[in-house]
Amino acid sequence: TNMKQRTALLVLLLCSVGLLFGCEHELVDDPAGRISGYWECAKIQTDENVYENTLPVSDNVEVPLYAFYSMAFADDGTGYIVPSGWPYHADDRQKDGFRWTYENNILTLNGSDNNTLSLEYTNGQLFMDMGDDVKMWLNKVDKFTEYDSDKWLNEMEDADK
């Protein structure tokens, strides 16, 4: 269906950003600790829809947006993107790592392969325009919310029966 195709495209876009980055270290200026910490996707807007907190992936199954996209920012200017699903292991953090800087409410992520991604800090959220009419907002959280991706896959299989 068209909904499943759009959902698949959205998931691919979100996951592909995570493949762009490597890891290095530098000091970072983070006034008032705005950026350092954990961030989870809370809202996605496409050209046709706005999804808050959950994304319908079938007629009967909705998945929390944090299960698709989360980020962590350390005080030392490093960070990592959490790909879809849990658990997330330390060696994956190196693979999906980046360096970050923050200036004038713009957060810049620099991957080891010279790829750059910019997010805007606004109203206590991080905002990212992902292109292709997809926009995403992340909220700061105390710790990552765990999500059982096997449960989601089982729900998807049950919904398709």
Side-chain angles (χ1 to χ4, degrees), residues 28 30 33-39 72-77 100 140:
V28 68
D30 181 13
R34 285 187 185 135
I35 305 303
S36 297
Y38 303 103
W39 294 81
F73 299 93
D75 292 334
D76 67 357
W100 65 274
K140 193 169 188 179

Side-chain angles (χ1 to χ4, degrees), residues 6 39 44 50 57 59 61 78 80 83 87-88 94 97 119 122-124 127 139 143 155 159:
R6 291 194 57 76
W39 294 81
I44 293 175
V50 174
V57 293
D59 292 338
V61 179
T78 62
Y80 59 92
Y88 195 67
Q94 290 294 323
L119 297 92
T122 180
N123 298 321
F127 167 75
N139 288 338
K143 66 178 185 172
E155 289 174 355

Side-chain angles (χ1 to χ4, degrees), residues 46-84:
T46 66
D47 58 341
E48 298 175 1
N49 297 300
V50 174
Y51 304 100
E52 294 198 48
N53 300 314
T54 61
L55 178 70
V57 293
S58 74
D59 292 338
N60 300 320
V61 179
E62 291 190 352
V63 176
L65 291 176
Y66 64 77
F68 288 111
Y69 207 85
S70 300
M71 303 172 115
F73 299 93
D75 292 334
D76 67 357
T78 62
Y80 59 92
I81 296 171
V82 179
S84 298

